[in-house]
Every structure is written in structure tokens, then in C-alpha cells.
mmCIF file of all heavy atoms in Angstrom:
data_model
loop_
_atom_site.group_PDB
_atom_site.id
_atom_site.type_symbol
_atom_site.label_atom_id
_atom_site.label_comp_id
_atom_site.label_asym_id
_atom_site.label_seq_id
_atom_site.Cartn_x
_atom_site.Cartn_y
_atom_site.Cartn_z
ATOM 1 N N ASP R 1 0.862 -1.185 0.000
ATOM 2 C CA ASP R 1 0.000 0.000 0.000
ATOM 3 C C ASP R 1 0.901 1.239 0.000
ATOM 4 O O ASP R 1 1.195 1.808 1.063
ATOM 5 C CB ASP R 1 -0.896 -0.013 1.245
ATOM 6 C CG ASP R 1 -1.811 1.203 1.322
ATOM 7 O OD1 ASP R 1 -1.861 1.982 0.340
ATOM 8 O OD2 ASP R 1 -2.461 1.396 2.376
ATOM 9 N N PRO R 2 1.350 1.684 -1.178
ATOM 10 C CA PRO R 2 2.294 2.817 -1.223
ATOM 11 C C PRO R 2 1.767 4.073 -0.540
ATOM 12 O O PRO R 2 2.502 4.742 0.186
ATOM 13 C CB PRO R 2 2.488 3.050 -2.728
ATOM 14 C CG PRO R 2 2.166 1.734 -3.352
ATOM 15 C CD PRO R 2 1.071 1.139 -2.515
ATOM 16 N N LYS R 3 0.500 4.401 -0.748
ATOM 17 C CA LYS R 3 -0.057 5.610 -0.151
ATOM 18 C C LYS R 3 -0.063 5.511 1.376
ATOM 19 O O LYS R 3 0.316 6.443 2.086
ATOM 20 C CB LYS R 3 -1.468 5.848 -0.679
ATOM 21 C CG LYS R 3 -2.145 7.087 -0.103
ATOM 22 C CD LYS R 3 -3.523 7.271 -0.710
ATOM 23 C CE LYS R 3 -4.271 8.434 -0.094
ATOM 24 N NZ LYS R 3 -5.634 8.585 -0.673
ATOM 25 N N GLY R 4 -0.500 4.354 1.889
ATOM 26 C CA GLY R 4 -0.512 4.163 3.335
ATOM 27 C C GLY R 4 0.892 4.214 3.917
ATOM 28 O O GLY R 4 1.113 4.767 5.002
ATOM 29 N N TRP R 5 1.841 3.628 3.173
ATOM 30 C CA TRP R 5 3.245 3.617 3.632
ATOM 31 C C TRP R 5 3.773 5.047 3.724
ATOM 32 O O TRP R 5 4.371 5.434 4.738
ATOM 33 C CB TRP R 5 4.081 2.794 2.656
ATOM 34 C CG TRP R 5 5.491 2.523 3.091
ATOM 35 C CD1 TRP R 5 5.971 1.394 3.692
ATOM 36 C CD2 TRP R 5 6.617 3.402 2.940
ATOM 37 N NE1 TRP R 5 7.313 1.513 3.925
ATOM 38 C CE2 TRP R 5 7.744 2.746 3.484
ATOM 39 C CE3 TRP R 5 6.781 4.677 2.419
ATOM 40 C CZ2 TRP R 5 8.999 3.313 3.497
ATOM 41 C CZ3 TRP R 5 8.040 5.261 2.437
ATOM 42 C CH2 TRP R 5 9.135 4.576 2.967
ATOM 43 N N LEU R 6 3.554 5.844 2.674
ATOM 44 C CA LEU R 6 4.039 7.221 2.665
ATOM 45 C C LEU R 6 3.390 8.045 3.777
ATOM 46 O O LEU R 6 4.057 8.840 4.454
ATOM 47 C CB LEU R 6 3.747 7.878 1.312
ATOM 48 C CG LEU R 6 4.669 7.500 0.151
ATOM 49 C CD1 LEU R 6 4.130 8.090 -1.149
ATOM 50 C CD2 LEU R 6 6.092 7.993 0.398
ATOM 51 N N THR R 7 2.086 7.836 3.971
ATOM 52 C CA THR R 7 1.375 8.586 5.017
ATOM 53 C C THR R 7 1.928 8.258 6.395
ATOM 54 O O THR R 7 2.175 9.140 7.219
ATOM 55 C CB THR R 7 -0.130 8.269 4.970
ATOM 56 O OG1 THR R 7 -0.648 8.586 3.670
ATOM 57 C CG2 THR R 7 -0.893 9.074 6.020
ATOM 58 N N THR R 8 2.138 6.975 6.652
ATOM 59 C CA THR R 8 2.654 6.551 7.958
ATOM 60 C C THR R 8 4.046 7.103 8.214
ATOM 61 O O THR R 8 4.345 7.650 9.291
ATOM 62 C CB THR R 8 2.679 5.015 8.042
ATOM 63 O OG1 THR R 8 1.354 4.516 7.880
ATOM 64 C CG2 THR R 8 3.236 4.555 9.377
ATOM 65 N N VAL R 9 4.945 6.988 7.214
ATOM 66 C CA VAL R 9 6.317 7.462 7.386
ATOM 67 C C VAL R 9 6.345 8.985 7.544
ATOM 68 O O VAL R 9 7.071 9.522 8.392
ATOM 69 C CB VAL R 9 7.191 7.014 6.195
ATOM 70 C CG1 VAL R 9 8.572 7.666 6.267
ATOM 71 C CG2 VAL R 9 7.325 5.503 6.187
ATOM 72 N N ALA R 10 5.541 9.688 6.742
ATOM 73 C CA ALA R 10 5.503 11.150 6.847
ATOM 74 C C ALA R 10 4.993 11.589 8.216
ATOM 75 O O ALA R 10 5.510 12.535 8.813
ATOM 76 C CB ALA R 10 4.616 11.729 5.743
ATOM 77 N N TRP R 11 3.953 10.892 8.713
ATOM 78 C CA TRP R 11 3.415 11.219 10.037
ATOM 79 C C TRP R 11 4.472 11.013 11.121
ATOM 80 O O TRP R 11 4.637 11.842 12.027
ATOM 81 C CB TRP R 11 2.178 10.357 10.311
ATOM 82 C CG TRP R 11 1.575 10.564 11.681
ATOM 83 C CD1 TRP R 11 1.596 9.703 12.724
ATOM 84 C CD2 TRP R 11 0.862 11.718 12.142
ATOM 85 N NE1 TRP R 11 0.950 10.235 13.813
ATOM 86 C CE2 TRP R 11 0.488 11.482 13.480
ATOM 87 C CE3 TRP R 11 0.511 12.921 11.548
ATOM 88 C CZ2 TRP R 11 -0.219 12.402 14.222
ATOM 89 C CZ3 TRP R 11 -0.208 13.846 12.305
ATOM 90 C CH2 TRP R 11 -0.571 13.575 13.626
ATOM 91 N N ARG R 12 5.210 9.910 11.027
ATOM 92 C CA ARG R 12 6.261 9.645 12.022
ATOM 93 C C ARG R 12 7.365 10.694 11.934
ATOM 94 O O ARG R 12 7.903 11.127 12.946
ATOM 95 C CB ARG R 12 6.838 8.244 11.802
ATOM 96 C CG ARG R 12 5.873 7.135 12.220
ATOM 97 C CD ARG R 12 6.424 5.780 11.840
ATOM 98 N NE ARG R 12 5.521 4.697 12.247
ATOM 99 C CZ ARG R 12 5.627 3.441 11.832
ATOM 100 N NH1 ARG R 12 6.596 3.111 10.986
ATOM 101 N NH2 ARG R 12 4.780 2.522 12.250
ATOM 102 N N ARG R 13 7.720 11.084 10.695
ATOM 103 C CA ARG R 13 8.745 12.116 10.526
ATOM 104 C C ARG R 13 8.289 13.433 11.175
ATOM 105 O O ARG R 13 9.065 14.123 11.838
ATOM 106 C CB ARG R 13 9.030 12.364 9.045
ATOM 107 C CG ARG R 13 9.778 11.238 8.364
ATOM 108 C CD ARG R 13 11.213 11.157 8.851
ATOM 109 N NE ARG R 13 12.007 10.275 8.028
ATOM 110 C CZ ARG R 13 12.091 8.951 8.188
ATOM 111 N NH1 ARG R 13 11.417 8.380 9.176
ATOM 112 N NH2 ARG R 13 12.835 8.212 7.402
ATOM 113 N N PHE R 14 7.025 13.774 10.975
ATOM 114 C CA PHE R 14 6.499 14.995 11.584
ATOM 115 C C PHE R 14 6.589 14.920 13.101
ATOM 116 O O PHE R 14 6.993 15.883 13.763
ATOM 117 C CB PHE R 14 5.046 15.221 11.156
ATOM 118 C CG PHE R 14 4.344 16.248 12.002
ATOM 119 C CD1 PHE R 14 4.634 17.597 11.869
ATOM 120 C CD2 PHE R 14 3.410 15.861 12.958
ATOM 121 C CE1 PHE R 14 3.998 18.543 12.661
ATOM 122 C CE2 PHE R 14 2.774 16.802 13.756
ATOM 123 C CZ PHE R 14 3.075 18.152 13.610
ATOM 124 N N LEU R 15 6.204 13.780 13.682
ATOM 125 C CA LEU R 15 6.253 13.632 15.136
ATOM 126 C C LEU R 15 7.680 13.756 15.650
ATOM 127 O O LEU R 15 7.930 14.384 16.689
ATOM 128 C CB LEU R 15 5.651 12.275 15.549
ATOM 129 C CG LEU R 15 4.137 12.117 15.351
ATOM 130 C CD1 LEU R 15 3.707 10.712 15.754
ATOM 131 C CD2 LEU R 15 3.363 13.160 16.152
ATOM 132 N N ASP R 16 8.641 13.147 14.917
ATOM 133 C CA ASP R 16 10.038 13.241 15.323
ATOM 134 C C ASP R 16 10.502 14.697 15.358
ATOM 135 O O ASP R 16 11.147 15.144 16.314
ATOM 136 C CB ASP R 16 10.925 12.448 14.353
ATOM 137 C CG ASP R 16 10.770 10.941 14.519
ATOM 138 O OD1 ASP R 16 10.211 10.512 15.555
ATOM 139 O OD2 ASP R 16 11.184 10.198 13.610
ATOM 140 N N VAL R 17 10.189 15.440 14.282
ATOM 141 C CA VAL R 17 10.609 16.837 14.209
ATOM 142 C C VAL R 17 9.919 17.664 15.293
ATOM 143 O O VAL R 17 10.533 18.513 15.939
ATOM 144 C CB VAL R 17 10.299 17.417 12.811
ATOM 145 C CG1 VAL R 17 10.548 18.925 12.778
ATOM 146 C CG2 VAL R 17 11.151 16.730 11.760
ATOM 147 N N ALA R 18 8.616 17.416 15.507
ATOM 148 C CA ALA R 18 7.867 18.164 16.518
ATOM 149 C C ALA R 18 8.443 17.922 17.912
ATOM 150 O O ALA R 18 8.578 18.861 18.709
ATOM 151 C CB ALA R 18 6.395 17.767 16.478
ATOM 152 N N ARG R 19 8.765 16.658 18.198
ATOM 153 C CA ARG R 19 9.342 16.357 19.519
ATOM 154 C C ARG R 19 10.704 17.030 19.682
ATOM 155 O O ARG R 19 11.018 17.569 20.737
ATOM 156 C CB ARG R 19 9.468 14.846 19.685
ATOM 157 C CG ARG R 19 8.120 14.146 19.884
ATOM 158 C CD ARG R 19 8.287 12.648 19.838
ATOM 159 N NE ARG R 19 7.000 11.960 19.935
ATOM 160 C CZ ARG R 19 6.697 10.867 19.261
ATOM 161 N NH1 ARG R 19 7.575 10.317 18.445
ATOM 162 N NH2 ARG R 19 5.509 10.307 19.391
ATOM 163 N N ALA R 20 11.536 16.957 18.617
ATOM 164 C CA ALA R 20 12.854 17.583 18.702
ATOM 165 C C ALA R 20 12.734 19.088 18.893
ATOM 166 O O ALA R 20 13.470 19.697 19.667
ATOM 167 C CB ALA R 20 13.664 17.270 17.438
ATOM 168 N N ASP R 21 11.770 19.697 18.179
ATOM 169 C CA ASP R 21 11.578 21.138 18.293
ATOM 170 C C ASP R 21 11.080 21.509 19.688
ATOM 171 O O ASP R 21 11.511 22.509 20.278
ATOM 172 C CB ASP R 21 10.578 21.601 17.236
ATOM 173 C CG ASP R 21 10.459 23.115 17.189
ATOM 174 O OD1 ASP R 21 11.498 23.774 16.981
ATOM 175 O OD2 ASP R 21 9.351 23.632 17.376
ATOM 176 N N ALA R 22 10.166 20.699 20.231
ATOM 177 C CA ALA R 22 9.659 20.965 21.577
ATOM 178 C C ALA R 22 10.780 20.855 22.609
ATOM 179 O O ALA R 22 10.880 21.672 23.533
ATOM 180 C CB ALA R 22 8.533 19.992 21.911
ATOM 181 N N ALA R 23 11.644 19.847 22.426
ATOM 182 C CA ALA R 23 12.758 19.681 23.356
ATOM 183 C C ALA R 23 13.719 20.854 23.265
ATOM 184 O O ALA R 23 14.217 21.357 24.274
ATOM 185 C CB ALA R 23 13.489 18.367 23.063
ATOM 186 N N ARG R 24 13.988 21.311 22.019
ATOM 187 C CA ARG R 24 14.885 22.443 21.839
ATOM 188 C C ARG R 24 14.316 23.696 22.495
ATOM 189 O O ARG R 24 15.023 24.437 23.181
ATOM 190 C CB ARG R 24 15.114 22.691 20.349
ATOM 191 C CG ARG R 24 15.922 23.946 20.055
ATOM 192 C CD ARG R 24 16.090 24.167 18.565
ATOM 193 N NE ARG R 24 14.834 24.325 17.885
ATOM 194 C CZ ARG R 24 14.113 25.438 17.876
ATOM 195 N NH1 ARG R 24 14.543 26.494 18.529
ATOM 196 N NH2 ARG R 24 12.971 25.504 17.228
ATOM 197 N N ARG R 25 13.001 23.943 22.283
ATOM 198 C CA ARG R 25 12.391 25.135 22.864
ATOM 199 C C ARG R 25 12.409 25.078 24.387
ATOM 200 O O ARG R 25 12.594 26.095 25.056
ATOM 201 C CB ARG R 25 10.963 25.277 22.358
ATOM 202 C CG ARG R 25 10.892 25.576 20.872
ATOM 203 C CD ARG R 25 9.503 25.932 20.434
ATOM 204 N NE ARG R 25 9.459 26.148 19.008
ATOM 205 C CZ ARG R 25 8.454 26.726 18.373
ATOM 206 N NH1 ARG R 25 7.412 27.150 19.054
ATOM 207 N NH2 ARG R 25 8.480 26.883 17.062
ATOM 208 N N ARG R 26 12.221 23.875 24.916
ATOM 209 C CA ARG R 26 12.264 23.729 26.368
ATOM 210 C C ARG R 26 13.661 24.065 26.899
ATOM 211 O O ARG R 26 13.808 24.741 27.914
ATOM 212 C CB ARG R 26 11.882 22.297 26.762
ATOM 213 C CG ARG R 26 11.946 22.024 28.273
ATOM 214 C CD ARG R 26 11.082 22.994 29.048
ATOM 215 N NE ARG R 26 11.210 22.809 30.484
ATOM 216 C CZ ARG R 26 10.936 23.744 31.375
ATOM 217 N NH1 ARG R 26 10.524 24.940 30.986
ATOM 218 N NH2 ARG R 26 11.075 23.506 32.659
ATOM 219 N N ARG R 27 14.701 23.618 26.155
ATOM 220 C CA ARG R 27 16.065 23.940 26.575
ATOM 221 C C ARG R 27 16.295 25.450 26.530
ATOM 222 O O ARG R 27 16.946 26.015 27.405
ATOM 223 C CB ARG R 27 17.075 23.222 25.677
ATOM 224 C CG ARG R 27 17.135 21.721 25.888
ATOM 225 C CD ARG R 27 18.390 21.130 25.292
ATOM 226 N NE ARG R 27 18.478 21.322 23.860
ATOM 227 C CZ ARG R 27 17.992 20.491 22.965
ATOM 228 N NH1 ARG R 27 17.372 19.380 23.372
ATOM 229 N NH2 ARG R 27 18.123 20.710 21.676
ATOM 230 N N GLU R 28 15.766 26.110 25.485
ATOM 231 C CA GLU R 28 15.926 27.561 25.392
ATOM 232 C C GLU R 28 15.194 28.269 26.531
ATOM 233 O O GLU R 28 15.680 29.247 27.092
ATOM 234 C CB GLU R 28 15.411 28.050 24.042
ATOM 235 C CG GLU R 28 16.290 27.610 22.867
ATOM 236 C CD GLU R 28 15.669 27.954 21.532
ATOM 237 O OE1 GLU R 28 14.492 28.373 21.510
ATOM 238 O OE2 GLU R 28 16.356 27.788 20.510
ATOM 239 N N ASP R 29 13.990 27.767 26.893
ATOM 240 C CA ASP R 29 13.239 28.343 28.006
ATOM 241 C C ASP R 29 14.021 28.188 29.308
ATOM 242 O O ASP R 29 14.035 29.096 30.151
ATOM 243 C CB ASP R 29 11.875 27.661 28.141
ATOM 244 C CG ASP R 29 10.932 28.029 27.001
ATOM 245 O OD1 ASP R 29 11.198 29.040 26.321
ATOM 246 O OD2 ASP R 29 9.956 27.288 26.775
ATOM 247 N N LEU R 30 14.667 27.039 29.456
ATOM 248 C CA LEU R 30 15.435 26.800 30.674
ATOM 249 C C LEU R 30 16.599 27.776 30.792
ATOM 250 O O LEU R 30 16.972 28.201 31.893
ATOM 251 C CB LEU R 30 15.957 25.356 30.705
ATOM 252 C CG LEU R 30 14.888 24.275 30.952
ATOM 253 C CD1 LEU R 30 15.515 22.892 30.813
ATOM 254 C CD2 LEU R 30 14.255 24.438 32.333
ATOM 255 N N VAL R 31 17.192 28.135 29.622
ATOM 256 C CA VAL R 31 18.276 29.110 29.648
ATOM 257 C C VAL R 31 17.762 30.441 30.205
ATOM 258 O O VAL R 31 18.392 31.085 31.043
ATOM 259 C CB VAL R 31 18.864 29.314 28.234
ATOM 260 C CG1 VAL R 31 19.882 30.451 28.247
ATOM 261 C CG2 VAL R 31 19.507 28.029 27.758
ATOM 262 N N ASP R 32 16.572 30.870 29.715
ATOM 263 C CA ASP R 32 16.002 32.134 30.177
ATOM 264 C C ASP R 32 15.626 32.090 31.652
ATOM 265 O O ASP R 32 15.624 33.110 32.334
ATOM 266 C CB ASP R 32 14.754 32.486 29.348
ATOM 267 C CG ASP R 32 15.103 32.750 27.894
ATOM 268 O OD1 ASP R 32 16.263 33.130 27.637
ATOM 269 O OD2 ASP R 32 14.222 32.559 27.036
ATOM 270 N N GLU R 33 15.268 30.879 32.132
ATOM 271 C CA GLU R 33 14.810 30.748 33.511
ATOM 272 C C GLU R 33 15.927 30.436 34.491
ATOM 273 O O GLU R 33 15.694 30.264 35.676
ATOM 274 C CB GLU R 33 13.765 29.610 33.591
ATOM 275 C CG GLU R 33 12.495 29.895 32.776
ATOM 276 C CD GLU R 33 11.660 28.649 32.604
ATOM 277 O OE1 GLU R 33 12.006 27.607 33.228
ATOM 278 O OE2 GLU R 33 10.676 28.693 31.866
ATOM 279 N N GLU R 34 17.167 30.355 33.996
ATOM 280 C CA GLU R 34 18.274 29.971 34.868
ATOM 281 C C GLU R 34 18.428 30.972 36.015
ATOM 282 O O GLU R 34 18.359 32.187 35.804
ATOM 283 C CB GLU R 34 19.577 29.918 34.076
ATOM 284 C CG GLU R 34 19.727 28.643 33.254
ATOM 285 C CD GLU R 34 21.073 28.582 32.557
ATOM 286 O OE1 GLU R 34 21.832 29.567 32.667
ATOM 287 O OE2 GLU R 34 21.358 27.565 31.926
ATOM 288 N N PRO R 35 18.650 30.492 37.225
ATOM 289 C CA PRO R 35 18.875 31.393 38.371
ATOM 290 C C PRO R 35 20.256 32.023 38.306
ATOM 291 O O PRO R 35 21.058 31.697 37.426
ATOM 292 C CB PRO R 35 18.766 30.431 39.574
ATOM 293 C CG PRO R 35 19.174 29.105 39.015
ATOM 294 C CD PRO R 35 18.681 29.076 37.589
ATOM 295 N N GLU R 36 20.518 32.919 39.227
ATOM 296 C CA GLU R 36 21.840 33.522 39.295
ATOM 297 C C GLU R 36 22.900 32.434 39.478
ATOM 298 O O GLU R 36 22.663 31.402 40.097
ATOM 299 C CB GLU R 36 21.913 34.505 40.473
ATOM 300 C CG GLU R 36 21.066 35.761 40.286
ATOM 301 C CD GLU R 36 21.535 36.581 39.112
ATOM 302 O OE1 GLU R 36 22.767 36.704 38.933
ATOM 303 O OE2 GLU R 36 20.681 37.087 38.369
#
């Protein structure tokens, strides 16, 4: 099922990028929130 295969892989790729981006933003937020 080529269409199903492409949809599944694309969805997983999106989730991977979204998770990586969320983790990166969290790290940036932590930098701003760092104490003295």
C-alpha cells in the first residue's frame, strides 16, 4: 500500500521533528529561567 506507507512514514517524521523542536524550545526556556 504505497499511499498508506508514505502517510505513515511522513506522520512519524512529523512527530520526530515536533518532539525535537519541543525539546529544543524547552532547553531555550530553561536558559532564560536559569537562576543567578
Side-chain angles (χ1 to χ4, degrees):
D1 179 8
K3 179 178 176 181
W5 188 98
L6 283 172
T7 302
T8 300
V9 172
W11 177 251
R12 288 174 179 167
R13 289 290 192 275
F14 166 73
L15 291 178
D16 288 345
V17 172
R19 288 172 184 142
D21 187 57
R24 174 182 60 79
R25 293 189 183 194
R26 178 56 184 157
R27 289 196 298 271
E28 291 173 351
D29 289 342
L30 288 174
V31 173
D32 295 335
E33 297 166 7
E34 281 184 356
E36 291 297 319

